[in-house]
């Protein structure tokens, strides 16, 4: 899955001038909004797992077309549980897409809490920067609150979150504003199932303007 993610990312579009559009300003806003929503994906760390290291790889896709295409992005997360209640998360990777070489860099924390014997609630905070693009750089800050529910052989992660973004445009052949800021609220639902030594997950982040579908493969170590 780690090797397949960059392949699926080829439909991601980060350029402001990639389409012949009458509303080029609207196109630029769609690029930034979609990029920040993608970066709001948080790692699905089982709060009751005894393992300390986790790697999660996959891809996210918009559920509707944006300028005639479904935009798809790669995901690569890692996490280290420092205590039973706290994990450090990170995203550090790069890939190629449509003559662009995006670089994703950031980190976050997940805090687990709940009843006396069960840590089934999780609060996440992460900051992710998107760099290496021709037309803009982006800072994405996400707050996420989820509850874990076990049902038969499945695990569910249900909750909501908010993503705050700040973008800085570079000069070029486009009419985008010099800066863009905004907030994206969403409802999140993930389903995970264990197969041998791996967990396979399917998730959705639902927003009235733009929703994402995520598929991922997860491996816990140590």
């Amino acid at each position: 899955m780690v090797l397949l993610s960059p392949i699926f990312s080829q439909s991601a579009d980060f350029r402001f001038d990639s389409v012949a559009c009458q509303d080029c300003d609207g196109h630029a806003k769609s690029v930034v909004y979609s990029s920040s929503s993608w970066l709001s994906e948080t790692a699905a760390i089982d709060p009751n797992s005894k393992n300390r290291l986790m790697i999660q790889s996959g891809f996210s896709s918009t559920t509707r077309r944006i300028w005639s295409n479904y935009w798809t992005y790669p995901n690569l997360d890692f996490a280290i549980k420092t205590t039973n209640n706290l994990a450090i998360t990170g995203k550090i990777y790069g890939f190629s897409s449509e003559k662009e070489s995006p670089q994703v860099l950031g980190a976050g924390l997940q805090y687990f809490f709940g009843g006396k014997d069960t840590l089934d609630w999780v609060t996440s905070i992460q900051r992710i920067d998107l760099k290496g693009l021709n037309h803009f750089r982006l800072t994405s800050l996400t707050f996420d609150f989820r509850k874990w529910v076990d049902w038969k052989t499945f695990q569910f992660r249900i909750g909501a979150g908010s993503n705050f973004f700040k973008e800085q445009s570079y000069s070029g052949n486009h009419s985008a504003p010099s800066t863009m800021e905004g907030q994206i609220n969403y409802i999140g639902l993930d389903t995970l199932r264990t197969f041998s030594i791996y967990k396979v997950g399917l998730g959705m982040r639902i927003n009235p303007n733009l929703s994402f579908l995520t598929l991922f493969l997860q491996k816990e170590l140590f």
Side-chain angles (χ1 to χ4, degrees):
M1 186 67 76
V2 173
L3 297 177
L4 290 178
S5 293
I7 296 176
F8 288 110
S9 74
Q10 295 307 308
S11 62
D13 189 345
F14 297 98
R15 296 186 62 88
F16 291 163
D17 60 356
S18 60
V19 296
C21 54
Q22 295 180 344
D23 183 17
C24 292
D25 181 59
H27 174 71
K29 292 179 179 178
S30 295
V31 172
V32 172
Y33 190 96
S34 178
S35 298
S36 189
S37 186
W38 153 56
L39 294 176
S40 69
E41 176 72 25
T42 58
I45 306 171
D46 184 350
N48 295 307
S49 174
K50 302 303 181 182
N51 293 305
R52 294 296 182 184
L53 177 63
M54 186 275 293
I55 299 175
Q56 179 176 305
S57 176
F59 62 94
S60 297
S61 177
T62 59
T63 58
R64 66 174 177 82
R65 295 181 186 273
I66 304 177
W67 302 95
S68 303
N69 291 305
Y70 293 101
W71 291 357
T72 307
Y73 306 83
N75 297 317
L76 182 60
D77 295 84
F78 68 86
I80 301 173
K81 290 187 73 174
T82 57
T83 69
N84 289 334
N85 294 85
L86 185 66
I88 299 173
T89 62
K91 299 176 186 279
I92 304 175
Y93 62 98
F95 60 99
S96 297
S97 178
E98 300 293 340
K99 299 181 180 180
E100 295 269 28
S101 298
Q103 301 166 13
V104 179
L105 176 64
L109 297 173
Q110 291 195 15
Y111 179 74
F112 314 111
F113 60 98
K116 182 177 180 181
D117 300 318
T118 305
L119 302 174
D120 53 2
W121 290 94
V122 183
T123 297
S124 305
I125 180 173
Q126 68 176 19
R127 171 182 165 163
I128 308 297
D129 292 340
L130 179 62
K131 301 180 179 181
L133 301 174
N134 288 318
H135 289 159
F136 70 97
R137 67 176 182 269
L138 176 68
T139 296
S140 170
L141 181 65
T142 300
F143 298 92
D144 190 277
F145 187 67
R146 304 286 185 107
K147 180 177 176 62
W148 282 79
V149 178
D150 293 336
W151 182 74
K152 295 185 178 180
T153 58
F154 294 91
Q155 290 180 294
F156 297 92
R157 191 175 69 129
I158 307 167
S162 292
N163 172 256
F164 302 86
F165 64 86
K166 185 173 183 179
E167 178 266 359
Q168 180 69 49
S169 300
Y170 302 133
S171 61
N173 186 26
H174 60 78
S175 60
S178 59
T179 60
M180 287 182 255
E181 298 183 25
Q183 177 179 348
I184 304 168
N185 299 319
Y186 62 86
I187 296 173
L189 171 62
D190 296 325
T191 304
L192 296 89
R193 186 176 181 183
T194 301
F195 294 93
S196 183
I197 60 174
Y198 296 97
K199 287 185 178 181
V200 177
L202 179 66
M204 282 199 70
R205 277 166 294 125
I206 303 169
N207 175 276
N209 297 317
L210 182 65
S211 297
F212 270 81
L213 180 67
T214 299
L215 178 65
F216 60 88
L217 181 69
Q218 185 182 109
K219 178 68 171 66
E220 295 179 338
L221 304 170
F222 311 121

